[in-house]
Amino acid sequence: GTGSNILSALQDLFWLLKSRVEKQLQIISVLQWVLTFLIMGIACTLILMYILCTDCWAIAALYLAWLVFDWNTPKKGGRRSQWVRNWAIWRYFRDYFPIRLVKTHNLLTTRNYIFGYHPHGIMGLGAFCNFSTEATGIGQKFPGIRPYLATLAGNFRMPILRDYLMSGGICPVNRDSIDYILSKNGSGNAIIIVVGGAAESLNCTPGKNSVTLKNRKGFVKLALRHGADLVPVYSFGENEVYKQVIFEEGSWGRWVQKKFQKHIGFAPCIFHGRGLFSSNTWGLLPYSKPITTVVGEPITIPKIDNPSQKDVDFYHSIYVDSLIKLFDKYKSKFGLLETEVLEVN
């Protein structure tokens, strides 16, 4: 009996230690991505400049020469790595929240797609985990579909960061890159565009479900020009992982944010999550709230080389209606009240 009790105690201790180690690995995996998002580009640029001033300048010079040669690669589908997309660190990243991908319809490999991702949140954590890694099984759920998460083109001007992003299948959100993927890369491509962008990130806060979409029609025009089907995607919980200071319209804070957005492409937000060692303190780590990304039904789009504004408006209205229906259908399943309404701005 004593031996059995000792063995049972050792097993309990083992599982406790394993649970704690896994939690720490989850925290580390998320922290590295947050730091990547916030400072990796600037840090790598400064380090490269420093190396140029040392005895190891030849290493930096060789990389810069490679950078010039490789400059247009992001615009041509990038350079994804299945090895990087399958890193174990992304599974720990997924389990920290946790993040889940829900498939509602099959996608044909004979078609190309533009996914509209909503909402942006502060960092688009659900978009990254679901579409730039294999942690939630996108390759198994949508076999034959190659996802490309589109982000700010300025990120691909940053040394090292650009290569890291490309390895996950991330591409610039500009016309050249999207045109190439949809017209010169065969079929079975899915470009994920966070439609609300920086403007939407300024209004994200826990408990609020709103999207910036009414005047965002460029992605619809691109879909028509290439005959790419539109797919609405809503991520429940994306706004819950950070708390943000919201500046009212007309305030000095919102004026500064809009100036940054106009001239640089992103809007600085004042936000916080939890601390590194305690969930009761403020820090850069997001709160561990569940994020569930639902991929809706594809909307068949005809190919029109020069779509009129009437064409764009028509398919944009269909897309908005489809997104609202998707939200209404799944909101109660993922923690929202039946009375919750999606606000479309």
Side-chain angles (χ1 to χ4, degrees), residues 147-255:
Y148 293 87
L149 177 60
T151 188
L152 288 175
N155 290 324
F156 296 89
R157 302 187 186 103
M158 301 284 190
I160 310 299
L161 176 63
R162 67 190 293 276
D163 301 288
Y164 190 34
L165 295 178
M166 282 194 292
S167 67
I170 301 177
C171 68
V173 62
N174 58 34
R175 181 170 172 176
D176 289 344
S177 176
I178 294 172
D179 282 346
Y180 183 91
I181 293 170
L182 295 179
S183 64
K184 298 180 181 179
N185 202 39
S187 60
N189 302 293
I191 298 179
I192 298 88
I193 300 177
V194 186
V195 178
E200 190 172 85
S201 69
L202 298 180
N203 295 315
C204 70
T205 187
K208 186 173 183 180
N209 289 284
S210 66
V211 296
T212 302
L213 182 56
K214 280 184 179 178
N215 297 316
R216 300 295 175 104
K217 301 180 179 180
F219 73 106
V220 178
K221 189 173 184 178
L222 280 169
L224 286 165
R225 289 180 61 246
H226 294 283
D229 294 347
L230 288 171
V231 182
V233 179
Y234 196 85
S235 221
F236 294 91
E238 185 72 64
N239 284 346
E240 307 299 316
V241 296
Y242 280 111
K243 295 179 181 179
Q244 179 183 190
V245 177
I246 304 293
F247 293 101
E248 297 295 329
E249 290 292 339
S251 66
W252 68 269
R254 182 54 64 100
W255 180 84

Side-chain angles (χ1 to χ4, degrees), residues 97-342:
F97 297 93
I99 296 174
R100 179 186 173 201
L101 180 66
V102 176
K103 170 186 174 180
T104 63
H105 291 78
N106 291 325
L107 298 181
L108 300 175
T109 57
T110 55
R111 300 285 293 174
N112 283 324
Y113 301 91
I114 293 180
F115 287 17
Y117 184 91
H118 313 269
H120 183 286
I122 294 292
M123 297 185 186
L125 294 164
F128 169 76
C129 185
N130 285 306
F131 302 113
S132 294
T133 80
E134 295 294 331
T136 56
I138 188 170
Q140 290 72 44
K141 292 176 181 177
F142 299 103
I145 301 297
R146 292 182 298 277
Y148 293 87
L149 177 60
T151 188
L152 288 175
N155 290 324
F156 296 89
R157 302 187 186 103
M158 301 284 190
I160 310 299
L161 176 63
R162 67 190 293 276
D163 301 288
Y164 190 34
L165 295 178
M166 282 194 292
S167 67
I170 301 177
C171 68
V173 62
N174 58 34
R175 181 170 172 176
D176 289 344
S177 176
I178 294 172
D179 282 346
Y180 183 91
I181 293 170
L182 295 179
S183 64
K184 298 180 181 179
N185 202 39
S187 60
N189 302 293
I191 298 179
I192 298 88
I193 300 177
V194 186
V195 178
E200 190 172 85
S201 69
L202 298 180
N203 295 315
C204 70
T205 187
K208 186 173 183 180
N209 289 284
S210 66
V211 296
T212 302
L213 182 56
K214 280 184 179 178
N215 297 316
R216 300 295 175 104
K217 301 180 179 180
F219 73 106
V220 178
K221 189 173 184 178
L222 280 169
L224 286 165
R225 289 180 61 246
H226 294 283
D229 294 347
L230 288 171
V231 182
V233 179
Y234 196 85
S235 221
F236 294 91
E238 185 72 64
N239 284 346
E240 307 299 316
V241 296
Y242 280 111
K243 295 179 181 179
Q244 179 183 190
V245 177
I246 304 293
F247 293 101
E248 297 295 329
E249 290 292 339
S251 66
W252 68 269
R254 182 54 64 100
W255 180 84
V256 170
Q257 289 176 323
K258 286 187 173 181
K259 286 295 182 182
F260 266 84
Q261 179 188 338
K262 180 179 178 180
H263 297 293
I264 302 178
F266 74 93
C269 302
I270 300 177
F271 66 92
H272 74 84
R274 52 156 289 181
L276 182 60
F277 301 106
S278 171
S279 59
N280 297 320
T281 58
W282 288 9
L284 289 176
L285 277 176
Y287 294 104
S288 52
K289 304 287 187 178
I291 298 174
T292 305
T293 303
V294 184
V295 179
E297 181 178 4
I299 303 165
T300 302
I301 301 294
K303 188 177 187 302
I304 305 175
D305 291 333
N306 294 296
S308 65
Q309 190 60 48
K310 185 178 179 180
D311 294 325
V312 174
D313 291 343
F314 175 73
Y315 285 101
H316 181 267
S317 66
I318 293 176
Y319 178 86
V320 173
D321 289 342
S322 296
L323 179 64
I324 293 172
K325 288 178 181 177
L326 180 71
F327 177 85
D328 288 340
K329 182 177 180 179
Y330 289 94
K331 60 186 178 182
S332 61
K333 295 181 180 179
F334 302 120
L336 300 181
L337 298 174
E338 278 290 349
T339 54
E340 188 71 37
V341 176
L342 179 62

